[in-house]
Amino acid sequence: QMQLEESGGGTVQAGASLRLSCTASGRTFSSSHTVAWFRQPPGKEREFVSAIKISGGRTTYANTAKGRFTISRDSGKNMVYLEMNSLNSEDAAVYYCAVGSGVILSSTASQEAYAYWGQGTRVTISS
């Protein structure tokens, strides 16, 4: 069983940056794992943000994240990060970390591909 814990959320001004962290415990990341970030804005459905394949480091981004967000991994520390720049009001959400095994490229953005989920960390944007 794998447990995931997100951290790094908070309240920042529009235009600022934040780095979210996802820490895994109970099991280590393996070469078959893909780690993703999803977010759920207030009153909206949860949506895909970004993902990284542990083996090889292939990354995928939602259009809303491209050019502003960077996902990275530190397999030795069992951690994945999401660096978010130029934050705006539409980025306000609860951000979730998720891990799936054997996730194929076409399913990377699908919540159903991920078996393990964290509790989320809240990002609030002040104007």
Side-chain angles (χ1 to χ4, degrees), residues 88-108:
N88 59 58
S89 59
E90 295 184 349
D91 297 316
V94 177
Y95 284 72
Y96 298 90
C97 174
V99 173
S101 181
V103 178
I104 61 176
L105 184 59
S106 60
S107 297
T108 300

Side-chain angles (χ1 to χ4, degrees), residues 4 11 13 15 17 20-21 25 37 40 48-49 52 57 60 62-64 69-70 86 93 100 108 111 118 121-122 127:
L4 301 174
T11 300
Q13 289 189 330
S17 299
L20 305 183
S21 299
S25 60
W37 287 95
Q40 187 165 18
F48 172 77
V49 177
I52 186 166
T60 307
N63 288 335
T64 54
F69 294 6
T70 302
S86 301
T108 300
Q111 297 181 51
T121 186
R122 185 176 299 276
S127 57

Side-chain angles (χ1 to χ4, degrees), residues 16-17 34 39 41 43 47 54 56 58 64 66 68 70-71 81-83 90-91 97 107 120:
S17 299
T34 295
R39 68 185 184 185
E47 61 186 21
I54 295 298
R58 183 193 71 212
T64 54
K66 286 180 182 176
R68 297 189 302 128
T70 302
I71 191 170
Y81 307 99
L82 184 68
E83 183 78 32
E90 295 184 349
D91 297 316
C97 174
S107 297

Side-chain angles (χ1 to χ4, degrees), residues 11-33:
T11 300
V12 296
Q13 289 189 330
S17 299
L18 272 179
R19 188 177 80 157
L20 305 183
S21 299
C22 173
T23 304
S25 60
R27 286 181 58 186
T28 58
F29 291 144
S30 75
S31 59
S32 69
H33 285 148

